[in-house]
């Protein structure tokens, strides 16, 4: 089977690397990829300056691709899965209509409420005056999360600790849209607890749990500094006990898949739940309908079995294949740490430094039994890798214990360098 992964970041590098290790995968292509991926010799990079659906479809047909795996949510929201299906090409991911679970904060919150899933109390607003009212009506909330609803603004979330801070943040959000925000905004109660990401491959009412992981979102050690796309993660979430998984299935996974069927939007693809855990209470913060970054780089090295078949089964709605494609998780721990460029995450228009040469120490392997190097924001100049994005690369190490994986990953990180690099030194520390 020939497979194609769409995207160019660390998550896509990990997906392509893992797919290429499946015995029935004969070739793994990645489009547009990045030049760092050349160091995974099993991958073929289809370098494109612009990625359009028509061009991609032509390539898929020419190469005889049997499965397309989509990385970034953007393609899901644009309906690429629908288009591939129309052309008889299996593509892993939800169709455009079902991807509202991630693309619209408002619709997904209303869906959670309709199907009785525990989530933070919330209000939907479109105008600044409504936002201020919603905040003032809930002085009892222990903080406020303000979330822009529209797809382009998936990252537009601000967590505020007081009414004043929330009102100031709302004012900032509406500053450039005095006539209101068309796609709206969700204002919700802040839930305090521990966050966990859970990943399920789904097909209608069937699902398979893949992994739990914890993402460290803040830029600096001890969870300080601004939010980022994720500075590192560990998997499994050692503190998230097995009995809580049964609760998640009952409270969230089964109601979500049933709800989608009731709405005649049977769900296929990745259901990624962002949960907040407070004692034995679980709250669904958000849905994503794709693989997480950097969680995917973290948990994929732990998965054994026929990954490509499971994704193909979901993409082709093949019940029998889905049932027999069971993945096993190694009884080990994985830690992934991201190295970022100076200026990342580029708050308030701060430039992100690029064009720094990436150096590997002699003897550092890109992949060995316990460690894998995944590239994200890199390009090539005169045959050398240089930085070209905020999230430059990440390393995953796997070991029997979390402490051993931590020791190993930091040793390996010391063997890859670029000027002004930044990384957190406390990924996976603590219980
Ligand atoms: P979301 O895109 O909804 O996951 O929000 C991004 C991040 O904001 C989450 O991963 C949480 O860290 C935080 N967050 C979102 N909603 C809440 C909430 N209701 N309470 C506390 N933190 C939240
Ligand atoms: N790591 C969170 C995300 O991928 O959205």
């Amino acid at each position: 089977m020939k497979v194609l992964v769409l995207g160019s970041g660390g998550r896509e590098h990990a997906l392509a690397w893992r797919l290429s290790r499946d015995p029935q995968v004969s070739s793994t292509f990645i489009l547009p990829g990045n030049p760092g991926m050349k160091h995974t010799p099993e991958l073929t990079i289809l370098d494109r300056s612009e990625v359009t659906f028509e061009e991609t479809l032509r390539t898929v047909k020419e190469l005889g691709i049997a499965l397309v795996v989509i990385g970034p949510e953007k393609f899901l929201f644009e309906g690429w899965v629908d288009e591939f299906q129309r052309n008889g090409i299996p593509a892993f991911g939800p169709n455009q209509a079902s991807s509202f679970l991630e693309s619209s904060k408002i619709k997904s919150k209303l869906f959670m409420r309709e199907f009785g899933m525990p989530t933070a109390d919330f209000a939907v607003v479109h105008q600044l005056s409504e936002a201020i009212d919603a905040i003032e009506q809930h002085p009892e909330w222990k903080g406020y999360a303000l979330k822009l609803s529209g797809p382009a603004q998936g990252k537009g979330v601000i967590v505020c600790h007081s009414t004043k801070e929330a009102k100031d943040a709302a004012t900032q959000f509406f500053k450039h849209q005095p006539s209101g925000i068309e796609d709206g905004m969700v204002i919700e109660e802040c839930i305090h607890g521990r966050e966990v990401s859970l990943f399920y491959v789904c097909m209608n009412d069937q699902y398979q749990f893949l992994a739990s992981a914890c993402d460290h979102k803040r830029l600096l050690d001890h969870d300080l500094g601004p939010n980022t796309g994720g500075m590192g993660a560990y998997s499994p979430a050692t503190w998230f006990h097995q009995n809580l998984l049964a609760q998640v299935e009952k409270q969230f996974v089964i109601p979500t898949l049933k709800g989608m069927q009731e709405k005649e939007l049977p769900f296929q693809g990745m259901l990624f739940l962002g949960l907040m855990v407070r004692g034995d209470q679980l709250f669904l913060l958000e849905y994503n309908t794709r693989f997480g970054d950097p969680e995917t780089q973290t948990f994929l090295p732990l998965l054994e079995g026929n990954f490509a078949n499971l994704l193909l089964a979901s993409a082709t709605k093949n019940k029998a294949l889905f049932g027999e494609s069971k993945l096993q998780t190694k009884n080990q721990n994985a830690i992934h740490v991201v190295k970022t460029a100076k200026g990342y995450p580029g708050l308030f228009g701060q430039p992100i430094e690029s064009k720094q040469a990436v150096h590997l120490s002699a003897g550092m392997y890109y992949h060995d039994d316990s460690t894998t190097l995944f590239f994200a924001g890199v390009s090539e100049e005169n045959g050398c890798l240089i930085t070209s994005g905020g999230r430059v690369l990440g390393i995953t190490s796997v070991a029997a214990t979390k402490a051993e994986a931590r020791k190993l990953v930091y040793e390996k990180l010391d063997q890859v360098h670029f000027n002004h690099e930044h990384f957190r030194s406390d990924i996976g520390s603590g219980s």
Side-chain angles (χ1 to χ4, degrees):
M1 164 158 72
K2 291 181 177 175
V3 299
L4 170 69
V5 175
L6 287 181
S8 62
R11 165 184 52 196
E12 288 77 24
H13 193 177
L15 283 167
W17 167 80
R18 180 59 187 80
L19 286 163
S20 74
R21 295 164 78 89
D22 272 353
Q24 89 288 18
V25 172
S26 58
S27 321
T28 309
F29 297 88
I30 182 152
L31 188 158
N34 71 57
M37 296 171 180
K38 285 185 195 163
H39 297 288
T40 309
E42 298 84 2
L43 309 185
T44 307
I45 296 140
L46 304 171
D47 188 9
R48 300 280 187 279
S49 54
E50 210 194 336
V51 181
T52 63
F53 181 76
E54 286 68 29
E55 173 101 3
T56 305
L57 180 64
R58 187 152 9 102
T59 306
V60 162
K61 286 185 171 165
E62 272 167 20
L63 292 171
I65 299 290
L67 172 68
V68 178
V69 178
I70 293 180
E73 59 273 25
K74 170 178 174 285
F75 297 126
L76 305 174
F77 303 166
E78 288 174 3
W80 284 42
V81 169
D82 314 50
E83 285 300 319
F84 279 124
Q85 279 172 353
R86 233 167 261 146
N87 285 278
I89 311 285
F92 178 76
N95 59 19
Q96 190 176 32
S98 307
S99 65
F100 82 86
L101 286 180
E102 174 165 357
S103 66
S104 168
K105 294 275 185 214
I106 295 177
K107 286 187 191 159
S108 66
K109 287 292 284 193
L110 294 173
F111 179 88
M112 292 174 207
R113 182 184 272 170
E114 184 179 347
F115 293 96
M117 283 173 265
T119 185
D121 195 8
F122 69 100
V124 171
V125 303
H126 290 83
Q127 305 288 339
L128 178 59
S129 57
E130 294 169 354
I132 303 287
D133 282 353
I135 295 163
E136 284 180 346
Q137 276 164 20
H138 293 286
E140 78 286 7
W141 284 359
K142 294 179 182 63
Y144 305 81
L146 277 58
K147 307 180 172 184
L148 291 174
S149 185
Q153 286 128 352
K155 304 286 173 226
V157 176
I158 291 195
V159 176
C160 305
H161 302 286
S162 67
T163 345
K164 176 173 181 325
E165 218 183 290
K167 286 197 230 173
D168 289 348
T171 309
Q172 284 299 321
F173 268 125
F174 282 91
K175 201 160 125 192
H176 302 292
Q177 278 134 310
S179 58
I181 295 174
E182 201 181 325
D183 287 327
M185 178 193 267
V186 170
I187 299 187
E188 66 180 45
E189 180 176 13
C190 202
I191 309 279
H192 298 273
R194 282 187 97 166
E195 228 178 312
V196 65
S197 304
L198 300 172
F199 296 86
Y200 298 84
V201 174
C202 301
M203 195 205 73
N204 302 345
D205 60 348
Q206 289 181 275
Y207 59 89
Q208 192 179 143
F209 172 66
L210 286 193
S212 66
C214 292
D215 178 9
H216 298 248
K217 291 200 164 99
R218 301 292 199 97
L219 182 69
L220 306 173
D221 282 4
H222 312 298
D223 286 334
L224 298 173
N227 258 320
T228 69
M231 297 300 296
Y234 61 94
S235 176
T238 29
W239 52 273
F240 191 79
H241 299 294
Q242 203 65 25
N243 53 346
L244 288 175
L245 274 182
Q247 197 178 326
V248 175
E249 292 180 15
K250 195 162 149 233
Q251 288 190 304
F252 304 104
V253 182
I254 295 168
T256 300
L257 297 180
K258 271 204 176 131
M260 292 301 277
Q261 284 191 307
E262 265 182 47
K263 293 200 169 296
E264 297 186 0
L265 295 171
F267 189 83
Q268 62 184 107
M270 175 57 74
L271 189 66
F272 160 4
L273 305 179
L275 290 186
M276 196 64 97
V277 184
R278 197 170 64 194
D280 58 1
Q281 278 184 299
L282 305 175
F283 298 87
L284 181 55
L285 288 188
E286 65 161 353
Y287 290 110
N288 291 302
T289 57
R290 47 158 178 96
F291 286 89
D293 188 338
E295 291 97 326
T296 302
Q297 296 92 305
T298 318
F299 71 72
L300 278 185
L302 294 173
L303 289 187
E304 287 179 325
N306 211 320
F307 183 50
N309 264 4
L310 182 67
L311 303 189
L312 181 69
S314 165
T316 53
K317 302 190 182 80
N318 182 333
K319 268 193 162 189
L321 186 62
F322 195 91
E324 70 200 34
S325 305
K326 293 265 178 274
L327 301 184
Q328 294 82 43
T329 309
K330 285 184 199 164
N331 191 15
Q332 289 187 307
N333 289 264
I335 300 203
H336 179 82
V337 182
V338 177
K339 279 198 171 178
T340 58
K342 186 177 171 189
Y344 178 78
L347 278 186
F348 312 114
Q350 189 182 355
I352 295 172
E353 190 176 61
S354 62
K355 293 191 184 274
Q356 302 304 307
V358 179
H359 300 286
L360 261 76
S361 302
M364 165 73 187
Y365 294 105
Y366 294 96
H367 305 283
D368 64 25
D369 286 346
S370 54
T371 296
T372 310
L373 170 54
F374 297 118
F375 285 101
V378 292
S379 57
E380 213 169 33
E381 200 172 64
N382 305 323
C384 297
L385 277 187
I386 55 166
T387 64
S388 64
R391 304 166 66 71
V392 176
L393 56 87
I395 294 185
T396 306
S397 288
V398 172
T401 65
K402 211 164 118 195
E404 286 170 58
R406 238 176 84 69
K407 184 166 174 288
L408 191 57
V409 79
Y410 281 105
E411 275 168 22
K412 297 289 181 179
L413 278 164
D414 199 33
Q415 299 181 30
V416 186
H417 288 291
F418 54 91
N419 272 339
H420 308 136
E421 65 188 20
H422 167 72
F423 62 96
R424 274 182 63 162
S425 68
D426 63 347
I427 305 293
S429 61
S431 55

